[in-house]
Amino acid sequence: MSISAQLARVRASIAEAAHSSGRDPASVCLLAVSKTFGPEAVIEAADAGQREFGENYVQEAIDKIASVNAARPDLSLIWHFIGPLQSNKTRVVAEQIDWVHSVDRVKIAQRLSDQRPPHLPPLNICLQVNVSGEDSKSGVAPEALLALASEVAGLPRLRLRGLMAIPEPAEDPEAQRRPFALLRTLQQQLHAAGIPTDTLSMGMSADMTAAIAEGATVVRIGTAIFGKRDYDQ
Ligand SMILES: *Cc1c(COP(=O)(O)O)cnc(C)c1O
């Protein structure tokens, strides 16, 4: 199936999931995760009306943005960085990306704020939370979230938008919902502590229905739009 046909299917699934939880489909933003796919795939999706794109690897993202801009300066796309970010790679992200979903340490946030160019609007930030409690997963522990959020909210060149999570894969829809419900509860705790946010970045191809039922405002979808990834390329 073509990218535009897959996009249409994903949009229809989002609308259906939103309606069945009594939500407005327009309250769920579709982020197309284009990692491992080339600039042509991004352009094809953009020509089908997609504006927001997510990338996981810094060099790949920067190269792809340059290729897309060179080929199609008419497209004004919004780029989200959703992968692990090391401190020696923050500068290009601060300079060229609109959103970072994977901040889980003050040090990274501080660097992004220091490096965000003054002519650009503040960089949009989501804090990645470890909702599955696995040692191997990145993300701030739920107990440490409030302290991190308070610090990030005070950084001048960042705008704290919300929370992001990548739960352990689960098959059954009830099991899928639990970590998303936890992320929503954590967001409510931030709000109660006087830290307002508007974004819950949660849900991927396999669990976006559960995420939308729990209040996702951004779903990050790769496979269902672009097909299976081939990491050997
Ligand atoms: C790859 C990736 C996605 C997209 O996953 P799919 O299962 O292909 O939809 C979403 N979020 C993050 C953080 C990813 O790394």
Side-chain angles (χ1 to χ4, degrees):
M1 220 189 293
S2 68
I3 288 174
S4 77
Q6 306 254 64
L7 258 176
R9 288 217 323 195
V10 169
R11 291 190 183 287
S13 311
I14 291 173
E16 193 187 326
H19 283 134
S20 53
S21 353
R23 299 185 56 200
D24 178 359
S27 67
V28 184
C29 171
L30 171 58
L31 181 53
V33 178
S34 45
K35 66 183 176 205
T36 78
F37 293 93
E40 335 67 57
V42 170
I43 290 169
E44 196 177 332
D47 283 336
Q50 181 62 30
R51 282 289 163 273
E52 317 258 347
F53 290 87
E55 287 286 335
N56 281 61
Y57 310 101
V58 174
Q59 196 54 50
E60 180 187 346
I62 298 310
D63 293 347
K64 204 175 296 179
I65 292 169
S67 305
V68 170
N69 287 345
R72 291 290 301 276
D74 59 306
L75 297 173
S76 62
L77 304 183
I78 299 168
W79 291 94
H80 299 242
F81 190 78
I82 62 175
L85 184 53
Q86 287 155 359
S87 55
N88 61 349
K89 303 252 175 80
T90 51
R91 182 174 296 278
V92 283
V93 170
E95 289 172 350
Q96 302 200 36
I97 306 269
D98 304 294
W99 284 70
V100 179
H101 293 229
S102 46
V103 171
D104 61 2
R105 287 175 282 158
V106 178
K107 182 185 175 193
I108 297 289
Q110 181 73 60
R111 288 177 68 90
L112 290 169
S113 181
D114 291 346
Q115 293 167 345
R116 182 68 168 172
H119 67 276
L120 294 177
L123 182 60
N124 296 296
I125 299 292
C126 291
L127 301 177
Q128 183 175 349
V129 183
N130 182 348
V131 288
S132 299
E134 300 260 317
D135 295 339
S136 57
K137 275 283 168 66
S138 36
V140 63
E143 313 79 72
L145 174 63
L146 184 55
L148 176 62
S150 314
E151 294 214 56
V152 171
L155 291 171
R157 299 293 297 138
L158 304 185
R159 184 168 166 213
L160 179 61
R161 298 298 296 267
L163 303 179
M164 181 272 237
I166 313 172
E168 280 291 283
E171 295 283 325
D172 127 66
E174 284 307 309
Q176 288 182 347
R177 282 179 69 153
R178 242 171 272 131
F180 297 139
L182 171 59
L183 200 69
R184 178 167 45 75
T185 303
L186 291 168
Q187 186 192 40
Q188 287 161 354
Q189 289 171 3
L190 291 189
H191 296 178
I195 303 173
T197 66
D198 61 9
T199 301
L200 279 177
S201 168
M202 57 189 198
M204 317 202 323
S205 295
D207 56 12
M208 88 181 177
T209 301
I212 291 169
E214 292 296 345
T217 66
V218 177
V219 289
R220 309 177 310 268
I221 309 298
T223 311
I225 297 172
F226 297 106
K228 272 208 164 63
R229 288 179 288 275
D230 180 359
Y231 286 98
D232 299 333
Q233 281 193 347

